[in-house]
Every structure is written in C-alpha cells, then in structure tokens.
C-alpha cells in the first residue's frame, strides 16, 4: 500500500484494514498481505541505508554496470570523481523524471544508468555532445563542465567495464 497524502504506515491499524483481511479469509480468498512503506506524510526520502524510492525506480539491466561500479572504475583508472553523491531519487517522478534507474553525480561527471538502451540513447541524443553512452549507461558532462580533453579517459574506463 502506498501512502503519503495524510498517513504513515504507523496509522494503518487505525484505518481498520484488519477487518478487510478478516473478511477476505472468511470468503476463502487466496492469501495476501497488506504492507506499507514507511516515510514522511508527504513523501518518501532515504534514511541511512533505507531508500524507499528504490521501490519505484525502474531496475537497471543485469548486463549494465551500476552507477557506483562506474564511479569505482573511474577511481581505479586514476580519474577524478570528487564529491560523489547518489541522486537516484532524482530519477523518479518526484525528481527530474528522466526514468533512470541510478544516478550518481560528481564534480567531474554525472553517471546515469537507464533501464534499457533505448532510453539511454534517447537522453544521450538530447544532451548531444555533452554526453557519452555505452549500453544503458550515460555519462553527462553538462553540470560538471568537464574539459573536453578529460572526457576520453572517463569514456575509456566505462568502455572497459563491458
């Protein structure tokens, strides 16, 4: 059950949802569970290691590297990735709405991972010469203003991930 308009999961017992479960059992309905994600009354926000927004973001393809894996590959190649910040929450409808699965921004480059290559290709075309795509992963240089001379290093490191 999604909530957020006026209640939290703690409020569910007071809504009397248990009576519907009882009624369903009496009617021989197949087993089911009512579950709710915790969060603020008006939105879901990450808290520590708990990130409820991940439930509503599209999954990245199993064949694509994760954004963190890409950042780690840049570090291993000796490339700058200062101040990395997981901004995956911006992928969904409450953020930029780009439909990405994962997003990590650094001061040097921003890494987007999309649920499919078509979505990645579409956004890379939109960003034109300020991006580079390999499969479902797009590197964006717009916000970082990465010098053109530094970009091939990031692109080669991404290409080596397969």
């Amino acid at each position: 059950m999604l909530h957020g308009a006026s209640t939290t999961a703690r409020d569910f017992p007071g809504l009397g949802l248990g009576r519907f479960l009882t009624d369903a059992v009496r009617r021989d309905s197949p087993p089911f569970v009512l579950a709710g994600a915790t969060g603020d009354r008006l939105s879901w926000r990450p808290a520590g290691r708990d990130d409820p927004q991940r439930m509503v973001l599209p999954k990245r393809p199993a064949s694509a590297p994760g954004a963190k894996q890409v950042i780690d590959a840049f570090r291993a190649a000796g490339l700058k990735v200062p101040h990395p910040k997981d901004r995956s929450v911006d992928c969904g409808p409450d953020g930029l709405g780009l439909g990405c699965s994962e997003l990590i921004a650094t001061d040097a480059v921003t890494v987007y991972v999309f649920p499919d290559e078509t979505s990645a290709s579409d956004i890379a075309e939109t960003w034109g010469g300020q991006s580079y795509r390999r499969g479902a992963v797009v590197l964006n240089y717009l916000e970082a203003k990465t010098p053109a001379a530094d970009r091939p290093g990031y692109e080669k490191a991404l290409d080596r991930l397969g």
Side-chain angles (χ1 to χ4, degrees):
M1 295 177 40
L2 299 179
H3 60 86
S6 62
T7 64
T8 68
R10 273 183 293 242
D11 300 316
F12 287 176
L15 298 174
L17 299 175
R19 71 175 174 242
F20 298 111
L21 286 170
T22 301
D23 184 58
V25 169
R26 288 182 180 148
R27 294 173 188 251
D28 292 326
S29 294
F32 66 94
V33 173
L34 295 177
T38 58
D40 292 336
R41 291 187 182 278
L42 299 178
S43 64
W44 296 342
R45 294 289 175 240
R49 293 181 55 101
D50 179 32
D51 187 358
Q53 189 70 23
R54 292 233 185 257
M55 292 185 294
V56 296
L57 294 177
K59 298 236 183 275
R60 70 176 162 86
S63 60
K68 184 179 180 322
Q69 184 181 356
V70 174
I71 295 296
D72 290 344
F74 292 163
R75 274 195 193 105
L79 300 167
K80 297 176 187 175
V81 285
H83 308 110
K85 181 169 177 163
D86 187 338
R87 290 186 23 212
S88 297
V89 69
D90 291 339
C91 290
D94 290 340
L96 303 171
L98 295 175
C100 51
S101 301
E102 299 175 12
L103 163 58
I104 294 182
T106 75
D107 292 348
V109 64
T110 302
V111 177
Y112 293 81
V113 182
F114 287 87
D116 56 72
E117 290 189 27
T118 301
S119 299
S121 178
D122 290 346
I123 201 70
E125 285 180 29
T126 300
W127 291 332
Q130 297 299 313
S131 66
Y132 177 80
R133 180 183 74 84
R134 170 75 177 193
V137 179
V138 177
L139 305 181
N140 179 303
Y141 304 110
L142 288 169
E143 291 181 30
K145 297 182 175 55
T146 308
D150 293 349
R151 295 176 185 180
Y154 294 97
E155 295 162 10
K156 287 178 186 172
L158 174 60
D159 289 345
R160 282 193 291 268
L161 285 175

